[in-house]
Amino acid sequence: MEGGIVKRGKRSRGALKGRAADAGAVADIQALLDSAQRSSGVDPRRRDLLIENLHLIQDRYGHISAAHIVALAREMKLAMTEVYEVATFYHHFDVVKEGQTPPPALTVRVCDSLSCELSGANSLIEGLKKALGDGVRVIPAPCVGRCDQAPVAVVGQNPVAQASVDKVKALVSARKTQCAVGKYVSYPEYRRNGGYDLAIECLNGSRDAELLIKTMENSGLRGLGGAGFPAGRKWRIVRGEQGPRVMAVNIDEGEPGTFKDRHYLERDPHRFLEGVIVAAWAVQISEVYIYLRDEYAGIRAILEKEIKALQADPPCPLPPIFLRRGAGAYICGEESAMIESIEGKRGMPRLRPPYVAQVGLFGYPTLEHNMETLYWVRDIIQKGAEWFSGHGRNGRKGLRSFSVSGRVRKPGVHLAPAGITVKELIDEYCGGMLPGHRFYGYLPGGASGGILPASMGDIPLDFDTLNPHGCFIGSAAVIILSDRDQARTAAGNVMKFFAEESCGQCTPCRVGTAKALQLMDAPKWDRGLLEELSGAMADASICGLGQAAPNPIRTVMKYFPKEVE
């Protein structure tokens, strides 16, 4: 039990067979779990807390040994294979088999996704390997959510913006491995400025849930994690399911080019938390689970502190809120894979139907939302649906938080009208192109949104407007290319990302992304074979990763044909 609902799913085993646990390793694990229980008041030996427990081991020892896997399986009454398959699924767990040498105590990860590659990530990786020597592990990493600060290195958990060999070397020498937390709106400050007034009105009966849901529907707010499903309609659907109901909040923004959730949470976390409380009240949610990507160590510290402050002095009755930590897996940005991960499993997308609104987290109807969607709830309800829908250009309605990176003077999160064009975005919000660079092309929706030439820079940026051109806006991650770049090289970078991040569950994605990457390395692309492969991936993959992975291939062949001939 946790917060009053039963965790459905596979039961833990009774007497376990197999390998005997080492007494010292068992003592290590018992000490970690007992400490966690004293801190949280929750039994950490529950099946759904497996990933949290693996983090305890990784944080304490810098790796996860075979002996500790056996001991953890014993304590949680799980088969060793269950623990091993979860531990080896996620990038941030260093599983060390018997006889293997553990990794160095300190790891430096250098993002090699597109925006960082454009800013010299590959040469930075080679320079750091030479400068830091064998005592520090230097490895490439997928997008760390700081594309506006490219190139980015992460020393332990400490991100380094505009990283250089000297910057990183200085932090390594000083052993500054913890992420610093900047200034943000704290709980007392948020309350002083009218924060949680809306939540109070909802919980004391001053607001009507039906009218509130109608306001959300009339605002036209759509899910801002990428899929764009109307938020108000989702509330109504889940509310119509038989309770108990739960909420799962997705803050696993691993799409290369996306960093808007980090931007808002680093500045105003309670605006998001108030949106969570209001949505939970309107939909009659029993428990809330917030899934945060592991790369956001600073935000994890903020949320842990601010949720405790909120719970210690609640402005109104609160739903139980639980913060869960990802472990480095892009696939967990897909809603059902995220739910599997919250349940302590590998992040494998589920087949649908049933949809998560019907059978989701722990088998209950689940309201799944991206962080930013909930961030706007307070403003929309207090200012009215017309306030939000009144913004927009080129016949579109609403606001969009564009994560802009690449060859512009002012990369960052830019709040702009929905329907703005990329040329307008560059000129009005990004200060123009970098000196000496000419606008050549752009990715309108991150790695999976396709690539378009500058000549198509007058298309309104919004949901559905890019679909006829083989692209989509997704989470509004816009990466700008200049005449010093090649679209085919950008496509190769993102395909490498997809091949590495495929969960491997379905053959079209697992084999297709790897095969596509090989074919894209050829000086001249085999257009017929790549199109056939793209069709198989798009039509037969289980989830959006494999379905959208062909978009960069197809758009480069269509709009940049000279580069691949």
Side-chain angles (χ1 to χ4, degrees):
M1 298 287 288
E2 178 176 296
I5 69 170
V6 177
K7 302 296 180 287
R8 297 171 175 170
K10 183 186 293 186
R11 295 180 179 274
S12 296
R13 299 169 180 242
L16 294 175
K17 299 179 181 179
R19 191 166 143 183
D22 175 78
V26 170
D28 292 341
I29 298 301
Q30 287 176 339
L32 287 174
L33 299 187
D34 290 345
S35 176
Q37 184 163 5
R38 287 192 297 271
S39 175
S40 67
V42 175
D43 180 11
R45 291 165 176 81
R46 276 201 338 249
R47 174 65 181 81
D48 59 297
L49 293 174
L50 173 57
I51 293 174
E52 298 294 313
N53 294 339
L54 290 168
H55 275 301
L56 294 176
I57 303 171
Q58 178 74 38
D59 291 347
R60 172 65 179 82
Y61 296 101
H63 64 278
I64 301 173
S65 69
H68 282 148
I69 285 179
V70 175
L72 182 60
R74 175 185 181 276
E75 284 298 303
M76 296 188 71
K77 293 183 171 58
L78 296 171
M80 190 184 72
T81 53
E82 290 185 75
V83 178
Y84 180 80
E85 71 176 8
V86 172
T88 54
F89 181 85
Y90 296 93
H91 296 317
H92 292 183
F93 294 141
D94 293 310
V95 178
V96 178
K97 299 178 182 179
E98 285 185 349
Q100 285 186 334
T101 302
L106 180 59
T107 295
V108 175
R109 290 181 166 87
V110 180
C111 175
D112 65 352
S113 290
L114 182 55
S115 298
C116 285
E117 184 181 82
L118 294 177
S119 298
N122 293 331
S123 59
L124 177 61
I125 292 171
E126 295 307 312
L128 287 173
K129 286 180 177 179
K130 294 177 183 177
L132 299 179
D134 296 334
V136 178
R137 181 174 59 164
V138 178
I139 58 175
C143 186
V144 297
R146 296 179 179 273
C147 315
D148 54 330
Q149 302 168 5
V152 179
V154 184
V155 179
Q157 294 184 336
N158 188 6
V160 186
Q162 287 87 43
S164 66
V165 170
D166 290 341
K167 271 187 180 182
V168 173
K169 191 174 180 180
L171 289 177
V172 169
S173 298
R175 283 300 190 262
K176 292 185 178 180
T177 61
Q178 299 302 310
C179 182
V181 175
K183 180 174 172 48
Y184 63 89
V185 179
S186 65
Y187 181 55
E189 185 179 354
Y190 187 73
R191 289 293 305 277
R192 285 197 299 270
N193 292 301
Y196 291 107
D197 286 354
L198 173 60
I200 292 170
E201 293 170 4
C202 291
L203 272 296
N204 70 14
S206 300
R207 292 274 184 172
D208 178 75
E210 175 60 27
L211 291 177
L212 191 143
I213 292 174
K214 283 185 177 179
T215 300
M216 292 295 295
E217 291 174 329
N218 293 337
S219 72
L221 178 68
R222 295 172 65 169
L224 297 172
F229 192 87
R233 190 191 308 171
K234 184 180 287 189
W235 289 20
R236 190 174 297 282
I237 290 170
V238 178
R239 182 183 168 96
E241 295 289 328
Q242 183 176 353
R245 309 168 195 86
V246 297
M247 184 191 300
V249 183
N250 194 334
I251 319 180
D252 195 66
E253 59 172 357
E255 179 80 10
T258 307
F259 47 91
K260 62 184 178 57
D261 293 354
R262 173 188 61 80
H263 172 88
Y264 287 122
L265 285 171
E266 285 179 340
R267 291 158 175 78
D268 197 359
H270 286 280
R271 189 171 298 271
F272 152 67
L273 290 172
E274 184 166 13
V276 167
I277 294 168
V278 171
W281 167 79
V283 185
Q284 299 178 348
I285 295 294
S286 297
E287 291 183 353
V288 175
Y289 290 81
I290 299 172
Y291 188 85
L292 178 68
R293 69 182 310 207
D294 196 34
E295 289 83 352
Y296 289 171
I299 293 174
R300 186 168 65 252
I302 290 171
L303 287 178
E304 287 174 346
K305 179 180 179 181
E306 295 307 314
I307 290 173
K308 284 182 179 178
L310 174 64
Q311 292 171 334
D313 181 24
C316 57
L318 304 176
I321 300 174
F322 305 100
L323 183 62
R324 291 292 173 87
R325 180 178 172 184
Y330 166 71
I331 192 64
C332 290
E334 196 276 339
E335 61 178 6
S336 65
M338 174 192 67
I339 285 171
E340 289 285 298
S341 191
I342 293 174
E343 293 180 356
K345 306 170 188 173
R346 294 178 296 168
M348 295 285 200
R350 297 176 179 177
L351 292 171
R352 285 164 285 193
Y355 297 96
V356 299
Q358 302 162 314
V359 182
L361 184 58
F362 305 120
Y364 296 107
T366 301
L367 178 66
E368 187 274 341
H369 266 318
N370 170 255
M371 188 292 301
E372 196 202 349
T373 310
L374 294 162
Y375 184 89
W376 290 113
V377 168
R378 174 186 166 186
D379 281 337
I380 289 172
I381 300 303
Q382 290 185 330
K383 297 178 182 179
E386 297 77 13
W387 167 79
F388 188 79
S389 63
H391 295 276
R393 289 188 188 176
N394 300 309
R396 312 303 295 181
K397 295 182 178 181
L399 291 166
R400 295 287 174 269
S401 300
F402 293 96
S403 303
V404 185
S405 61
R407 309 297 197 178
V408 292
R409 290 176 182 267
K410 291 171 55 181
V413 173
H414 299 291
L415 184 63
I420 192 172
T421 69
V422 70
K423 289 181 178 178
E424 293 169 336
L425 190 63
I426 293 170
D427 292 342
E428 298 176 29
Y429 290 85
C430 301
M433 298 291 292
L434 285 172
H437 289 256
R438 181 171 56 84
F439 181 36
Y440 177 68
Y442 64 109
L443 288 75
S448 53
I451 307 176
L452 293 173
S455 60
M456 299 177 68
D458 294 318
I459 301 170
L461 296 176
D462 197 17
F463 296 112
D464 310 321
T465 58
L466 297 155
N467 296 24
H469 309 285
C471 298
F472 58 80
I473 192 172
S475 56
V478 181
I479 304 174
I480 304 299
L481 306 177
S482 79
D483 53 348
R484 301 187 187 184
D485 308 311
Q486 278 195 319
R488 65 168 290 161
T489 304
N493 178 284
V494 300
M495 187 57 67
K496 175 176 176 287
F497 171 81
F498 290 137
E500 293 174 348
E501 293 298 320
S502 172
C503 74
Q505 180 177 191
C506 65
T507 302
C509 178
R510 181 185 67 251
V511 177
T513 52
K515 182 64 176 178
L517 187 59
Q518 290 179 338
L519 293 171
M520 294 165 72
D521 280 339
K524 181 179 179 180
W525 286 9
D526 186 333
R527 297 169 64 102
L529 185 54
L530 276 169
E531 179 55 43
E532 183 180 354
L533 180 61
S534 295
M537 292 168 62
D539 294 341
S541 295
I542 289 175
C543 81
L545 192 158
Q547 294 165 7
N551 289 342
I553 299 173
R554 286 171 157 169
T555 50
V556 167
M557 291 194 298
K558 183 175 182 179
Y559 300 117
F560 302 89
K562 292 183 179 180
E563 291 192 13
V564 298
E565 292 176 349

